[in-house]
C-alpha cells in the first residue's frame, strides 16, 4: 500500500510572545486552505499525509510539535489551554486564516480543544482518543487503561514519572505495529510511511520522554472544555476494526451525542490507520462541510 507520505516541504520554528518556541512543518501550497494535523502519541512534526492528495485538494497541511516534543520548548506542567494559546498565536503569525484541524489518536483532544477555543472552523477526529476519564467509560475501559486513568486523576505527577520510565521511540513503534491488524500493517510497512513515522517518534523523544508523558496524562484526564459547547462542524471517523484501548470504547458514539455539530462515520474494512487509507475522503469532508455559524 502506497501511502504517499513524504518529508515536509517546509520546516520552521516560531518564537511566541511567551518566549517559548514552537516547531512546525508544512506540505502543500502556501496559498492553500490551512489544515492543522494534531498527530498521534509522541509524534513530532515530521509525519504528514499523502502529499499528492494534499496538493490536489489545495491544502496547506501544518503539523506542530507539542510542548517538549521535537523542537518545541517544554513548558512546566503545560496543559490544553496552553496548547490552544500557542496555536492561536501561531495561526496569526503564520497567516493560517480559516484554519481547520484533524486530530488523530491522542491528537483528538488537542484538535477539539482548538475547536472549543474558537481557533478552528471545523474538525475531523480520526481514530481519536475520547474523554476516557469521563464517568460514562468507568466500566468500559480495559484494566491497564483504567489503571492509567485512575492514576492520572489521583496522582498525575507519579503517573507521568511512570510513563517517562517506560517509553522511548522504539518502544512506541513496537506498540503501534504489534497492535496493528492486517490493514494497518500494510500502512505501517509502507517504506515511506515507516521512515516518516519512525523519524517523527525519534524527534518526538529528542528532548527525552517528558513531553510524551505529559501529553499522555492530559489525554487520560478530564477535558478542560465541555464538548457540548463546540459550535463548529465536527466529523468523527472510527473503524469497526480499531482495537486500540486508548481511543474510544464505543467508537465515538457517546462523543457524537455530546457534540451538537458532530457527524459520526463508522468505517468497515479499515483499521486505526484510516487517516492514511481514507485521506482524500476525510479531508474532502472536512473542507466541504458548511460552517455551523
Amino acid at each position: 500500500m502506497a501511502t504517499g507520505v513524504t518529508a515536509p516541504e517546509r520546516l520552521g520554528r516560531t518564537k511566541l510572545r511567551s518566549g517559548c518556541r514552537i516547531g512546525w512543518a508544512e506540505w502543500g501550497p502556501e496559498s492553500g486552505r490551512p489544515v492543522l494535523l494534531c498527530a498521534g502519541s509522541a509524534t513530532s512534526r515530521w509525519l504528514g499525509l499523502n502529499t499528492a492528495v494534499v496538493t490536489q485538494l489545495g491544502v496547506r497541511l501544518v503539523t506542530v510539535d507539542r510542548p517538549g516534543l521535537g523542537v518545541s520548548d517544554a513548558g512546566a506542567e503545560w496543559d490544553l489551554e496552553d496548547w490552544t494559546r500557542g496555536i492561536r498565536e501561531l495561526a496569526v503569525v503564520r497567516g493560517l486564516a480559516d484554519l481547520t484541524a484533524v486530530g488523530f489518536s491522542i491528537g483528538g483532544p488537542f484538535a477539539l480543544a482548538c475547536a472549543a477555543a474558537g481557533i478552528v472552523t471545523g474538525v475531523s477526529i480520526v481514530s481519536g482518543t475520547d474523554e476516557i476519564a469521563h464517568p460514562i467509560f468507568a466500566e468500559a475501559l480495559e484494566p491497564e487503561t483504567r489503571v492509567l486513568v485512575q492514576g492520572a486523576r489521583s496522582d498525575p505527577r507519579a503517573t507521568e514519572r511512570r510513563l517517562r520510565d517506560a517509553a522511548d521511540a522504539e518502544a512506541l513503534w513496537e506498540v503501534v505495529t504489534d497492535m496493528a491488524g492486517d490493514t494497518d500493517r500494510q500502512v505501517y510497512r509502507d517504506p515511506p510511511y515507516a521512515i516518516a513515522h519512525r523519524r517523527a517518534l525519534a524527534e518526538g523523544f529528542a528532548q527525552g520522554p517528558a513531553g510524551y508523558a505529559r501529553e499522555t496524562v492530559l489525554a487520560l484526564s478530564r477535558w478542560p472544555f465541555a464538548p457540548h459547547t463546540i459550535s463548529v462542524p465536527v466529523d468523527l471517523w472510527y473503524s469497526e476494526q480499531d482495537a486500540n484501548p486508548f481511543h474510544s470504547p464505543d467508537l465515538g458514539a457517546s462523543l457524537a451525542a455530546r457534540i451538537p455539530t458532530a457527524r459520526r462515520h463508522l468505517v468497515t474494512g479499515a483499521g486505526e490507520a484510516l487517516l492514511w487509507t481514507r485521506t482524500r475522503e476525510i479531508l474532502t469532508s472536512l473542507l466541504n462541510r458548511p460552517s455551523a455559524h
Side-chain angles (χ1 to χ4, degrees):
M1 176 179 292
T3 59
V5 173
T6 65
E9 297 174 1
R10 297 176 294 277
L11 289 166
R13 200 179 188 200
T14 297
K15 188 174 183 178
L16 304 179
R17 289 190 298 269
S18 65
C20 290
R21 293 160 297 180
I22 186 169
W24 51 265
E26 292 186 356
W27 294 258
E30 290 188 79
S31 60
R33 175 81 180 273
V35 176
L36 172 69
L37 172 58
C38 301
S41 184
T43 308
S44 73
R45 58 187 174 158
W46 276 85
L47 181 59
L49 304 176
N50 186 307
T51 305
V53 171
V54 165
T55 301
Q56 290 163 9
L57 293 179
V59 166
R60 178 185 178 185
L61 184 70
V62 183
T63 57
V64 174
D65 289 338
R66 291 186 285 269
L69 303 183
V71 296
S72 286
D73 294 335
E77 296 190 351
W78 63 277
D79 56 24
L80 283 172
E81 292 175 334
D82 294 319
W83 160 258
T84 57
R85 280 192 290 268
I87 294 300
R88 187 187 299 277
E89 185 174 346
L90 181 70
V92 173
V93 172
R94 296 288 302 155
L96 304 177
D98 199 18
L99 180 66
T100 58
V102 175
F104 173 72
S105 187
I106 204 175
F110 293 88
L112 288 173
C114 289
I119 298 168
V120 297
T121 60
V123 176
S124 285
I125 302 301
V126 186
S127 303
T129 299
D130 205 330
E131 189 179 11
I132 56 178
H134 194 286
I136 60 176
F137 292 128
E139 302 303 322
L141 301 178
E142 294 188 4
E144 181 181 357
T145 307
R146 185 180 299 114
V147 168
L148 285 172
V149 168
Q150 292 172 345
R153 179 179 64 249
S154 62
D155 196 340
R157 290 184 178 179
T159 302
E160 283 190 44
R161 288 194 298 270
R162 177 183 171 187
L163 291 166
R164 286 200 304 266
D165 293 343
D168 57 33
E170 190 60 30
L172 255 66
W173 176 249
E174 290 179 1
V175 168
V176 168
T177 53
D178 287 350
M179 291 181 60
D182 291 340
T183 303
D184 290 333
R185 287 194 186 96
Q186 293 181 52
V187 174
Y188 301 146
R189 288 173 179 170
D190 178 51
Y193 179 91
I195 290 169
H197 196 147
R198 298 191 76 161
R199 174 158 190 175
L201 286 174
E203 296 262 347
F205 280 92
Q207 301 181 55
Y212 154 75
R214 181 63 182 165
E215 70 172 11
T216 304
V217 165
L218 292 177
L220 295 172
S221 303
R222 292 299 303 271
W223 295 345
F225 58 88
H228 73 265
T229 64
I230 295 175
S231 60
V232 302
V234 176
D235 278 336
L236 303 174
W237 295 84
Y238 287 91
S239 165
E240 291 182 338
Q241 285 72 48
D242 187 355
N244 191 314
F246 293 99
H247 286 170
S248 176
D250 63 1
L251 301 179
S254 63
L255 188 55
R258 296 167 65 202
I259 300 176
T261 57
R263 182 171 62 185
R264 179 171 172 253
H265 309 261
L266 192 57
V267 181
T268 59
E272 69 169 10
L274 74 161
L275 180 56
W276 289 273
T277 59
R278 304 291 181 94
T279 305
R280 185 181 298 275
E281 185 179 354
I282 290 167
L283 288 179
T284 299
S285 180
L286 172 67
L287 298 177
N288 289 346
R289 280 197 68 180
S291 172
H293 295 297

